[in-house]
Amino acid sequence: MSAAPIAPGDGENYWRDGRPPYVPKPAKLPAEVDVAVVGAGFTGLRTALELARGGRSVAVLEAHDIGHGASSRNGGMVGPSFHKLGMAGLTSAYGEAKAAAIMREGMLALDHFEGFVAAEGIDCALTLPGRFRGAPTAASYEATARECERLSKAVGLPFEMIPKARQRDHIGSDFYEGGVLYLRDGGIQPRLLVEALASRAEAAGAMLFETTPVSGMKREGDRIALRLPSGTLLARDVVMATNGYGAPGATAPLGPRVVPMLTGVAATEELSPNLIRDLTPAGANFGENRRVFMWFRPTPDGKRFIFGGRLGPMNGSREARARAVRASAARVFPQLSDVRFSHLWTGRIAYTRDHAPHLGKIDGVWFAGGYCGSGVTRSVYFADKIARRILGRPDADTAFDDLPFPKVPFRPFAPWAAVALTRWHAWQDARDDRRRG
């Protein structure tokens, strides 16, 4: 009989386990600031840091606690975070030059992220061992090879195609028909980055306010009035950095233009060193080329594995979620068929109609978000660009600036449509798996 999928004493978010909450410095909410930043995740905290260093008075308004949202709940995977449509899809939509420019932003974002972490001396367990992305079919392997060749030519992507004959050098699985190794991908401990950004923002003079949701905004002369539980805050500039955690009305312009999607994450109990080496011989992180894909990686201490994605019933019981994650893990790693999970948590990602992240200013409000599940490097990079624009500094442009960012039609119903589409795609993946078997 298989062991129960949840270990005794299971916790919630692995990244926060054993870490005390970040406690902001006591501060009285002022009547007016230069900039109000809504959301205390990667985007909001990095924006606040740069603005405070630039001499602006900044208040960061967080509805829950610091780093409550995706910034403390994600998989901590870093890389170029290329556009979901790929070079072929982007070229069809925008032309070859624009497609290359958009993809190049991914490389620039990764360069910026690495440079920022190094310059700030941030210890967030950043390593770049590469990421193996498995191809479920031979046709998928060939399509991946063609796309990587396009990216190598257009933006200098470093990669290596790994045929099935050499797959075991990188992943302890025979499930895939080979794959690609993205040589510059890696991972971090995301909660450490949240805490580092918060402490640096406060040291620069930014004020952080928890349990301070924004319920509405309106223009009053040359200021924007933000409605808060304790009253009204006036700001010359407002930055919306809520990504998938904002209400459509209260967090315009970002809220009405993204679809929040719930994803699940699970961390295993501690595994033996030999089993960890078997799962990831070179210490790489992993993804896969499927309609409903799973990402997975070792924890920074090399003692556990984390699996994430839209796996199983997101709103189901903990036992049902654990069984679904274990089934997906065992699909790739049969040696984990009896694995138990010590931590299970969920988080929201934000998708956009064009599968692209966006930043800019609409109706007088700055925003950055819609990261489509790949926001670690993008958020830090976009935050720097937004801060530069507010401060009037150079090097603030990106290839995303002129992309239209339409609202999501029937926005209140979009999350349910996303769930239905995910189930359809999961059925298609399962059908393909049966055909392979």
Side-chain angles (χ1 to χ4, degrees):
M1 179 181 294
S2 296
I6 302 177
D10 58 293
E12 286 296 332
N13 188 337
Y14 170 79
W15 302 124
R16 300 185 69 156
D17 191 19
R19 301 194 63 79
Y22 184 91
V23 180
K25 297 177 182 178
K28 181 180 179 181
L29 189 71
E32 185 173 343
V33 291
D34 292 331
V35 187
V37 178
V38 185
F42 295 155
T43 304
L45 294 171
R46 173 71 196 283
T47 303
L49 167 61
E50 298 305 325
L51 291 174
R53 285 178 175 174
R56 299 293 197 270
S57 60
V58 183
V60 179
L61 311 172
E62 168 55 51
H64 300 280
D65 61 329
I66 301 303
H68 170 82
S71 295
S72 290
R73 299 169 183 267
N74 66 81
M77 309 273 272
V78 302
S81 302
F82 290 125
H83 194 288
K84 305 297 183 184
L85 294 181
M87 277 296 293
L90 283 175
T91 300
S92 176
Y94 302 113
E96 187 173 351
K98 185 66 171 179
I102 290 173
M103 288 300 206
R104 192 172 296 112
E105 291 288 348
M107 301 295 290
L108 294 175
L110 179 57
D111 291 341
H112 176 89
F113 183 86
E114 288 185 72
F116 172 74
V117 168
E120 293 289 331
I122 295 175
D123 180 9
C124 58
L126 173 62
T127 58
L128 297 170
R131 176 169 63 99
F132 175 87
R133 184 185 181 199
T137 65
S140 173
Y141 179 88
E142 294 301 327
T144 298
R146 291 193 297 271
E147 174 67 10
C148 288
E149 288 291 349
R150 294 188 191 101
L151 285 169
S152 178
K153 180 179 179 181
V155 303
L157 172 70
F159 75 97
E160 180 183 357
M161 294 305 300
I162 307 297
K164 187 160 188 176
R166 293 198 294 115
Q167 184 169 288
R168 280 277 180 169
D169 294 339
H170 301 275
I171 181 172
S173 173
D174 297 316
F175 180 78
Y176 303 108
E177 298 298 317
V180 58
L181 181 65
Y182 297 117
L183 298 170
R184 285 197 62 198
D185 281 38
I188 62 169
Q189 207 286 30
R191 183 63 191 179
L192 295 181
L193 180 58
V194 168
E195 295 171 4
L197 290 172
S199 65
R200 283 162 175 74
E202 287 197 295
M207 298 170 285
L208 310 185
F209 298 96
E210 298 181 312
T211 62
T212 307
V214 176
S215 57
M217 297 182 293
K218 66 176 181 178
R219 173 69 62 177
E220 292 188 0
D222 62 348
R223 298 291 189 268
I224 296 175
L226 295 94
R227 189 165 63 248
L228 309 176
S230 59
T232 298
L233 173 66
L234 293 175
R236 185 171 61 194
D237 288 292
V238 173
V239 179
M240 200 56 59
T242 53
N243 201 41
Y245 283 79
T251 58
L254 192 59
R257 292 172 168 83
V258 301
V259 178
M261 299 175 66
L262 199 62
T263 64
V265 192
T268 69
E269 287 187 300
E270 289 193 14
L271 307 175
S272 72
N274 287 340
L275 180 53
I276 290 287
R277 282 192 296 272
D278 180 46
L279 300 176
T280 178
N285 298 333
F286 302 101
E288 54 184 3
N289 188 12
R290 288 164 65 89
R291 299 175 185 88
V292 181
F293 63 88
M294 176 176 66
W295 56 261
F296 40 112
R297 57 165 294 189
T299 53
D301 62 8
K303 295 181 178 180
R304 306 169 190 257
F305 245 71
I306 294 180
F307 297 85
R310 292 185 62 78
L311 309 173
M314 294 297 102
N315 291 315
S317 69
R318 294 174 60 79
E319 290 77 9
R321 287 163 47 207
R323 285 194 297 269
V325 177
R326 185 165 72 177
S328 294
R331 166 174 58 81
V332 177
F333 296 122
Q335 58 269 54
L336 295 182
S337 59
D338 290 327
V339 69
R340 295 199 295 177
F341 297 99
S342 57
H343 301 74
L344 287 158
W345 68 100
T346 59
R348 294 183 212 155
I349 60 177
Y351 260 81
T352 60
R353 289 180 64 185
D354 60 358
H355 307 283
H358 289 268
L359 75 166
K361 191 176 188 181
I362 295 176
D363 297 332
V365 177
W366 299 96
F367 67 91
Y371 299 121
C372 301
S374 299
V376 176
T377 54
R378 283 172 169 170
S379 58
V380 172
Y381 178 66
F382 276 16
D384 178 69
K385 296 296 186 180
I386 290 293
R388 286 178 175 276
R389 295 177 195 191
I390 295 173
L391 295 169
R393 292 178 176 173
D395 191 26
D397 299 335
T398 78
F400 296 94
D401 296 343
D402 59 350
L403 296 184
F405 193 16
K407 293 181 179 180
V408 176
F410 308 105
R411 171 61 175 76
F413 304 100
W416 282 272
V419 169
L421 183 61
T422 299
R423 289 175 177 171
W424 166 242
H425 285 164
W427 181 87
Q428 291 178 300
D429 284 337
R431 177 199 60 192
D432 292 346
D433 290 343
R434 291 192 297 270
R435 289 174 176 174
R436 286 179 45 187

